[in-house]
Amino acid sequence: MTDLSKYRNIGIFAHVDAGKTTTTERILALTGKIHQTGEVHDGAATTDFMDQERERGITIQSAATSCMWNDHRLNIIDTPGHVDFTVEVYRSLKVLDGGVGVFCGSGGVEPQSETNWRYANDSEVSRIIFVNKLDRIGADFYRVVDQVENVLGAHPLVMVLPIGIEDEFVGVVDLLTRKAWYWEDSGSLNYVIKDVPADMADKVEEYREKLIETALEQDDEALESYLEGEEPSMEKIKECIRKGTGTMDFFPTYCGSAFKDKGVQLVLDAVVDYLPDPTEVHPQPEVDLEGNETGKFAIVDPDKPLRALAFKIMEDRFGALTFIRIYSGRMEKGMQVLNTFTGKTERIGRIVEMHADERIELEHAQAGDIVAVLGMKNVQTGHTLCDPKNPATLEPMVFPDPVISMAVSPKDKAASEKLSVAIGKMIKEDPSFQVETDEDSGETILKGMGELHLDIKIDILKRTYGVDVQVGAPQVAYREAITQPIEDSYTHKKQSGGAGQFGKIDYRIEPGELGSGYVFESVVVGGNVPKEYFPAIEHGFKSLMSEGVLAGYPCTDLKFTLMDGAYHAVDSSSMAFEAAAKGAYRQSMPKAAPQLMEPIMAVDVFTPDDHVGDVIGDLNRRRGMIKSQEPSTTAVRIKADVPLSEMFGYIGTLRTMTSGRGQFSMEFSHYNSCPANVAEAVIAAAKARKEAKNK
């Protein structure tokens, strides 16, 4: 029987290029899981096993692996840092109990680390911090600690101090034990423990005092004794640090250089000492079929009924792998489980423990485990698997809507059949990737979170699935919205031998709150329109909103209020009132001053000092609104809101302007109205497309 207190389910997440994957490699080497560490820049890292990851040197999929440290089992997920793949970070955080946030010693708190930190806060995941790459030029541990406080609004609890910096970084001082850890040459995991260097003694005492005072705030009695001069025991201090880490009052902060094999052992010790085990985190809430919480929770306990969440589907050469986090109960080979989303039972085929793309067969797994199951037919990301005799649904995952689309068409008939199979598998793997078919042109439209996201999907189509496609230019997901309220009336009347159709509605349509979608309300009194027809009216109007009146883009943020109407005892029906609502849409929407809305991206640019003027000038030309500029020691960070349509190909321009040193990230922020000249061009292009199709 496995002792759950010896489990740690952790994720490693950070900004792209802060060294997450390298840190994971060192953890695997230290725990004896691999004997030769692979490097990201050589394309040989264990957890980056996709061709696309090896070539680009970035992590795309979250990879799962497990290892042992100090008799504790660590299930580790290495997540991507690039903003186009935040869905991977989000879904990993959903199933983890703790995390390690990796920050670059010279880059500090970068845009994507902010996004990931925010996701981790939303998911209430305890973290420890590892400031990596202290051997780099421009590295400054104390500056990064300040940024964690000021930019992330978090409380870093400094646990170690660096000895030396940049080329002279040789080790760290452990503040609790007042011992200095020195590592031998790079590439060696061996270290020696010595006394604290004399020139650091004062600083060590200053930071140690801060550390102990902050930790003991978790226990009033111990703090009182300490302030009276009594030194607390090591057990007491660690117990308080563990408590404060669990409640996210502070985040134990370590430093080192994963690439040079320095400082990772202390991070592993901290994972075991301070991050929660599966029984110590808030249990997952169970929900009813409508998604409302039932007040019950999936308590992490192997003896309770089975509750498990499928958080990732991955296709490989052996078929579909479903990654599952088991919250309660046990899962055994051959058992039947119920998928509450589909209402069907499935048999558990083979259970495997993953080590990147290798696998170890298991007979059974239990609460607290993260495993993969082969051969599940109808399970998708976010589905709950449970005991058929005792069903329950876990809180599902919510994924952001795509903001960019691209048309692809297969080169020939053979490719066409392969394309639909490949796309079916890819949608299962990545819920933020959507696909639809344009009914008029027959083109396949891919939708995603950004240019890089779709770029990699097309690469996977070509290489993994051998489907050659022709690719159109990226398209922006515009929306339409109305700007003026309008009250109107519409009567649907049809008489043709036998029973006729009749439905009259008086209504108001008005602009809704930003992000509210479609809101339907009825204020009809006296039964002029019977209640049973309300759903038909609501549905009729909504069914046409997917095609706006200006350029055929979906209409959003609108409130429809049914005020009055009339019905006929014989001729009225749901169908008649639905037709009336559709007629009302066609009649009134053009009168409500519709306008085109465009997606605005929150753009974060890092540029060297000497190119700030060029970068800001370029963002202004792209209709960007500059929101802030923050200088750091090595670069200036510029935050701006820029329309997505102006950001295509931006990385090339930025690199040219900054001699290859600039970097940026962007994520969807909100929709805003299009300027008249842009709207005219978009509407004209939409009309031209329609005419071309109709020819």
Side-chain angles (χ1 to χ4, degrees):
M1 200 57 224
T2 322
D3 178 358
L4 282 176
S5 68
K6 295 220 178 328
Y7 268 55
R8 298 289 180 274
N9 289 320
I10 60 165
I12 295 183
F13 46 86
H15 182 80
V16 66
D17 219 19
K20 293 177 309 301
T21 301
T22 309
T23 305
T24 308
E25 284 290 303
R26 292 307 179 269
I27 288 174
L28 296 177
L30 279 167
T31 55
K33 191 80 185 196
I34 53 175
H35 301 294
Q36 178 194 358
T37 50
E39 301 309 341
V40 176
H41 51 255
D42 298 336
T46 313
T47 51
D48 281 356
F49 51 84
M50 289 168 67
D51 293 343
Q52 292 80 359
E53 295 178 308
R54 292 189 166 147
E55 275 171 32
R56 295 168 197 245
I58 61 170
T59 302
I60 294 166
Q61 293 187 323
S62 38
T65 184
S66 54
C67 52
M68 298 297 289
W69 183 257
N70 287 357
D71 288 340
H72 284 67
R73 178 194 169 96
L74 313 183
N75 290 323
I76 301 172
I77 295 187
D78 172 28
T79 60
H82 200 286
V83 70
D84 285 6
F85 308 105
T86 40
V87 60
E88 290 282 344
V89 180
Y90 175 80
R91 63 163 152 209
S92 302
L93 281 166
K94 175 89 179 157
V95 298
L96 295 171
D97 306 323
V100 180
V102 181
F103 297 101
C104 172
S106 60
V109 175
E110 293 166 290
Q112 192 55 38
S113 30
E114 246 187 280
T115 308
N116 291 344
W117 194 265
R118 199 173 65 238
Y119 280 167
N121 284 345
D122 294 346
S123 305
E124 295 183 3
V125 171
S126 315
R127 278 145 283 167
I128 52 184
I129 292 170
F130 178 52
V131 180
N132 190 20
K133 300 194 178 182
L134 282 191
D135 53 326
R136 271 213 175 166
I137 292 172
D140 182 343
F141 174 67
Y142 301 99
R143 190 187 79 248
V144 180
V145 168
D146 280 350
Q147 285 185 332
V148 169
E149 275 192 60
N150 302 323
V151 179
L152 300 179
H155 186 172
L157 184 71
V158 177
M159 304 291 291
V160 299
L161 296 182
I163 305 170
I165 203 74
E166 297 182 359
D167 314 353
E168 288 161 17
F169 174 66
V170 289
V172 299
V173 174
D174 179 349
L175 294 175
L176 284 183
T177 58
R178 294 190 179 92
K179 289 291 179 201
W181 293 51
Y182 288 89
W183 277 267
E184 292 169 14
D185 299 337
S186 164
S188 157
L189 300 170
N190 301 325
Y191 56 89
V192 287
I193 294 184
K194 299 182 183 172
D195 289 333
V196 172
D199 59 346
M200 285 182 71
D202 292 347
K203 198 164 207 173
V204 166
E205 287 312 309
E206 177 201 336
Y207 272 87
R208 188 174 194 272
E209 196 172 312
K210 253 196 233 171
L211 158 61
I212 291 175
E213 270 185 30
T214 309
L216 294 184
E217 282 171 7
Q218 302 292 322
D219 183 330
D220 296 344
E221 215 172 286
L223 182 60
E224 216 167 288
S225 309
Y226 176 66
L227 295 174
E228 285 166 7
E230 191 186 314
E231 174 83 6
S233 69
M234 196 58 83
E235 284 72 42
K236 186 61 171 170
I237 300 171
K238 284 189 165 181
E239 181 192 310
C240 288
I241 297 174
R242 185 180 179 89
K243 187 178 169 196
T245 307
T247 52
M248 300 199 306
D249 288 346
F250 47 70
F251 302 91
T253 300
Y254 292 80
C255 66
S257 161
F259 181 50
K260 297 275 173 67
D261 299 305
K262 293 173 182 162
V264 182
Q265 288 97 332
L266 289 137
V267 175
L268 279 171
D269 287 344
V271 166
V272 167
D273 288 343
Y274 308 128
L275 287 181
D277 69 46
T279 63
E280 291 172 315
V281 292
H282 287 307
Q284 283 285 316
E286 294 179 3
V287 295
D288 61 19
L289 294 173
E290 271 73 57
N292 306 310
E293 293 195 9
T294 58
K296 290 184 183 165
F297 294 91
I299 309 292
V300 179
D301 179 347
D303 297 325
K304 292 259 190 295
L306 176 68
R307 305 276 180 268
L309 187 72
F311 68 95
K312 182 179 165 68
I313 315 280
M314 201 170 89
E315 284 287 337
D316 71 0
R317 56 191 187 279
F318 304 110
L321 271 175
T322 306
F323 282 83
I324 289 172
R325 162 78 200 258
I326 303 174
Y327 286 102
S328 70
R330 292 187 177 82
M331 187 177 274
E332 286 167 15
K333 211 166 144 177
M335 77 186 283
Q336 292 284 338
V337 293
L338 172 70
N339 177 344
T340 52
F341 186 83
T342 60
K344 295 193 168 84
T345 54
E346 288 210 32
R347 185 174 166 277
I348 297 289
R350 290 157 62 201
I351 304 175
V352 293
E353 177 190 304
M354 294 302 292
H355 172 45
D357 60 348
E358 291 172 40
R359 57 200 56 192
I360 297 143
E361 294 263 347
L362 302 173
E363 286 301 310
H364 51 81
Q366 62 163 33
D369 278 329
I370 292 178
V371 292
V373 176
L374 278 100
M376 303 220 86
K377 301 260 185 320
N378 301 310
V379 176
Q380 303 224 0
T381 302
H383 286 184
T384 301
L385 302 174
C386 64
D387 177 352
K389 295 192 196 75
N390 202 325
T393 304
L394 296 169
E395 187 180 50
M397 302 180 178
V398 183
F399 296 108
D401 287 334
V403 290
I404 178 172
S405 63
M406 200 180 263
V408 296
S409 48
K411 295 221 165 133
D412 51 43
K413 194 161 189 304
S416 171
E417 284 165 14
K418 275 161 86 178
L419 178 67
S420 58
V421 172
I423 280 178
K425 289 179 176 177
M426 286 162 70
I427 294 172
K428 269 191 152 181
E429 286 183 12
D430 180 355
S432 66
F433 173 61
Q434 295 177 9
V435 179
E436 59 182 46
T437 306
D438 185 312
E439 283 166 14
D440 302 330
S441 68
E443 281 181 323
T444 300
I445 313 283
L446 310 185
K447 297 180 167 189
M449 303 309 296
E451 242 179 320
L452 179 67
H453 191 195
L454 291 185
D455 205 19
I456 284 178
K457 294 297 176 201
I458 284 161
D459 205 25
I460 292 172
L461 271 178
K462 285 183 179 165
R463 265 199 280 186
T464 311
Y465 296 105
V467 184
D468 235 357
V469 287
Q470 285 166 320
V471 181
Q475 299 290 325
V476 176
Y478 290 101
R479 296 270 187 275
E480 295 184 19
I482 57 169
T483 54
Q484 287 174 10
I486 178 169
E487 290 192 10
D488 214 339
S489 176
Y490 188 87
T491 306
H492 172 72
K493 225 187 205 162
K494 209 171 181 187
Q495 205 64 47
S496 56
Q501 286 184 22
F502 179 83
K504 175 178 187 286
I505 51 175
D506 300 340
Y507 54 90
R508 180 170 64 240
I509 54 176
E510 58 196 310
E513 295 278 316
L514 206 61
S516 62
Y518 170 58
V519 178
F520 174 85
E521 190 186 359
S522 164
V523 291
V524 177
V525 284
N528 289 344
V529 178
K531 272 204 175 75
E532 67 258 31
Y533 299 139
F534 291 179
I537 297 168
E538 181 178 355
H539 176 258
F541 198 87
K542 189 180 182 181
S543 66
L544 294 188
M545 282 179 60
S546 59
E547 210 162 298
V549 292
L550 286 174
Y553 288 105
C555 189
T556 186
D557 299 342
L558 169 150
K559 184 176 180 190
F560 179 98
T561 308
L562 180 63
M563 293 156 67
D564 204 358
Y567 79 107
H568 184 280
V570 178
D571 293 352
S572 285
S573 64
S574 290
M575 201 165 81
F577 274 102
E578 187 172 326
K582 286 179 175 175
Y585 180 91
R586 295 187 189 102
Q587 169 181 292
S588 304
M589 287 295 279
K591 300 183 200 167
Q595 69 172 10
L596 208 61
M597 310 288 281
E598 61 183 351
I600 305 293
M601 308 303 279
V603 178
D604 231 326
V605 187
F606 271 77
T607 168
D609 290 355
D610 38 354
H611 298 291
V612 173
D614 299 342
V615 170
I616 287 180
D618 179 65
L619 287 171
N620 285 331
R621 276 193 294 282
R622 293 171 187 270
R623 300 193 283 121
M625 287 275 297
I626 308 295
K627 296 180 80 179
S628 68
Q629 289 178 58
E630 296 160 20
S632 69
T633 50
T634 51
V636 175
R637 174 182 194 175
I638 300 161
K639 287 186 168 189
D641 281 350
V642 192
L644 174 64
S645 59
E646 304 288 346
M647 288 301 291
F648 292 136
Y650 180 62
I651 189 69
T653 312
L654 179 66
R655 287 200 176 134
T656 309
M657 271 188 305
T658 59
S659 319
R661 289 156 65 206
Q663 50 161 298
F664 87 105
S665 85
M666 65 178 185
E667 60 177 329
F668 171 70
S669 169
H670 60 281
Y671 273 94
N672 209 348
S673 53
C674 265
N677 58 333
V678 176
E680 279 164 21
V682 172
I683 293 167
K687 278 193 177 137
R689 275 201 303 275
K690 205 166 186 183
E691 281 163 15
K693 282 175 190 170
N694 294 337
K695 275 182 183 173

